Amino acid sequence: MKKLFSALAFFLCILFVTASCVPAMAAESLTVEQVQLSPPDMDFYVYSDGVDMSGITKDDVSATVGSYTFDVDSVKAQDRDTDGIFYAFLLDISGSIPQSSLDAAIRSISRIADGMGSDDKLAVITFGDKVKVISDGSRRPADTLKALKGLKAKDQTTKFYTAMDKLISVSKKAKGMRTVAIVVSDGVDDTDAGMTERQLTDTLKNSGIAVYAMQVGKVTKKQTQHLKKFIKISGGEVYRFSEGNATKVVNSLVGHIDDVVTIHLLGDSDMQVNDGDEITLIVKGFAPVRWKIDKKSWNTAAKTNPGVGKDDSKTEEEAFASSAEKAAADERLEAELKHQRRLVIIAIAAVILAAAVVVIILLRIRSRNIKKSYYEMNGIDEDTIENLNREIKKKRRMK
C-alpha cells in the first residue's frame, strides 16, 4: 500500500512540474464559419457547438496578425445584426434525387422565407444538366417560391461545380451582407468540367460564403465523406434530409445559423499582408483560432472597397492608446491561457486521483478475497475469523 501512495505522489509531482507545457485543452472550440474582407477591415463569423456566445463583448476579443493588433469594433449576435442575411439555395434536380425530398426542400425554403427579416434576401439556383438562376436575390421571396412550383428532379447529370461557381458570382450582389448557401443534393459530383476541386475550394474559402448541405437520397459512405470534407471548408455542416425529418433539420439549421456571432475588426489603411500570414483570433473562454490570409483575395477585396480604413496619421495620444490596448489584449490572452492551463491541471489531477481510488478499492477487495479463500481452504469459519480480528484489535489497543 505504501508503494502505491508513493507512486501516486510521484505522478502528482510530475504533473505540476510540467504544468507550463500543458496545452489549453480545457477551452471550448471555436469554428470560423466565414470571413468577409473589406480590407483593411473584416468580419469574422464564428460559432461554438452547444455554447451560448450571446454574452461575448468586444472586451473579450483580441486579434493579431504578426506584430499588428486589430481594433475590435463590435461583437454582435445574429439576432442583433441588422445587416441581414443573403440566403442562397442550390437545388440538385438530377434523377438521383427523390422527388419527395425535393418537394420537402422547396417547402423548407418556404418556411425559411416566412421567417426572414426585412433586410434578408433569398436566392435560388437549380443545377442538373444545366445551371439556372431562379432568383439572384433581387426578386421578392413570394415570386421566387412561385417559380419553384412543379420543379422536377429528372436531369441526367449534376453540374455541382458550375453551380457553386455561379453562386459565388451571384453572391457579389449581397455586398455587405452575410451570405449563407444551403445545398440540397446527394453528394458532390467531381466530374464537372471547367474547374478542379482545388480551384473551387480555394475560391470558396475566400468568397466569404458559408455553405451548409442537406444531403438527400441513397448515398454511399464515400459520398457523405466527400461532401462533409467540402462543406467544412466554409465552416458549415452537413444534415441528412428527407421528407420525414424536414422540420427537425430546418429547425436545427436555422438555429445553427442564428447562433453565429459577428466580430468586426478594424485595421490600418497602410496594412501590408503576405500570402501565408495568419490572423490569430482570441475569444475569452475559447481556444485560439487562426485564419490564413490569401493575398490575392485581400488585394481584390481592397480594390472593391477604396478608401476603407482608418486614418494612418495618428496623433501621439492615439498611438499611446493603441499601445495600451495591445498591452491590455496581451494581458488578457496571458490570463486566459493561465486559466485554461489550471483547468487542464485540475482535470488531469482529478482523473489520477479517481484512478488511484479505484485501484485501492480493487486491491482491498482482492486482498479480502484471498484471505477468505485461504481461511476456507484451512477450514476456518467466519465466526472464528471475526473472533480473531477482535482479539487482534484488543491487543493493539493494549499496546
Side-chain angles (χ1 to χ4, degrees), residues 215 220-231:
Q215 191 178 33
T220 65
K221 185 177 180 180
K222 184 177 180 181
Q223 280 178 304
T224 301
Q225 289 175 339
H226 194 186
L227 185 60
K228 285 183 176 180
K229 180 183 176 182
F230 181 83
I231 297 300

Side-chain angles (χ1 to χ4, degrees), residues 167-200:
L167 165 68
I168 292 169
S169 63
V170 166
S171 68
K172 292 177 182 177
K173 296 179 179 294
K175 192 173 181 180
M177 299 178 69
R178 176 184 171 202
T179 303
V180 176
I182 302 165
V183 179
V184 180
S185 180
D186 51 6
V188 176
D189 184 353
D190 56 3
T191 62
D192 205 29
M195 180 181 286
T196 65
E197 181 181 7
R198 178 61 182 273
Q199 288 172 327
L200 178 57

Side-chain angles (χ1 to χ4, degrees), residues 13-14 16 49 61 65 80-81 102 129 151 204 254 332 357:
C13 289
I14 293 295
F16 285 101
D49 283 329
V61 180
V65 56
R80 299 198 302 272
D81 194 347
L102 179 60
D129 295 336
L151 191 64
L204 180 62
V254 172
R332 287 199 302 272
V357 170

Side-chain angles (χ1 to χ4, degrees), residues 166-335:
K166 178 62 70 174
L167 165 68
I168 292 169
S169 63
V170 166
S171 68
K172 292 177 182 177
K173 296 179 179 294
K175 192 173 181 180
M177 299 178 69
R178 176 184 171 202
T179 303
V180 176
I182 302 165
V183 179
V184 180
S185 180
D186 51 6
V188 176
D189 184 353
D190 56 3
T191 62
D192 205 29
M195 180 181 286
T196 65
E197 181 181 7
R198 178 61 182 273
Q199 288 172 327
L200 178 57
T201 54
D202 286 346
T203 303
L204 180 62
K205 184 178 179 182
N206 295 285
S207 67
I209 302 172
V211 184
Y212 294 81
M214 297 196 300
Q215 191 178 33
V216 301
K218 294 181 179 180
V219 295
T220 65
K221 185 177 180 180
K222 184 177 180 181
Q223 280 178 304
T224 301
Q225 289 175 339
H226 194 186
L227 185 60
K228 285 183 176 180
K229 180 183 176 182
F230 181 83
I231 297 300
K232 285 291 183 182
I233 293 168
S234 73
E237 295 287 338
V238 175
Y239 298 86
R240 283 292 293 151
F241 181 84
S242 66
E243 184 180 15
N245 71 350
T247 300
K248 181 180 178 181
V249 169
V250 170
N251 288 341
S252 179
L253 174 62
V254 172
H256 196 137
I257 292 172
D258 287 345
D259 285 342
V260 170
V261 169
T262 309
I263 300 174
H264 186 56
L265 304 177
L266 300 178
D268 281 330
S269 57
D270 61 348
M271 280 185 64
Q272 298 294 323
V273 299
N274 299 302
D275 272 331
D277 283 354
E278 288 187 331
I279 297 173
T280 301
L281 184 70
I282 305 292
V283 179
K284 185 178 180 180
F286 297 86
V289 293
R290 292 173 176 81
W291 187 81
K292 188 174 290 187
I293 293 175
D294 176 77
K295 189 173 181 181
K296 182 180 179 181
S297 297
W298 178 279
N299 291 338
T300 301
K303 289 178 182 178
T304 61
N305 294 276
V308 177
K310 300 180 298 183
D311 185 4
D312 58 357
S313 56
K314 292 184 177 181
T315 64
E316 291 184 5
E317 290 182 359
E318 289 173 329
F320 177 79
S322 177
S323 177
E325 288 174 2
K326 184 178 186 305
D330 290 342
E331 288 180 6
R332 287 199 302 272
L333 173 59
E334 183 62 27

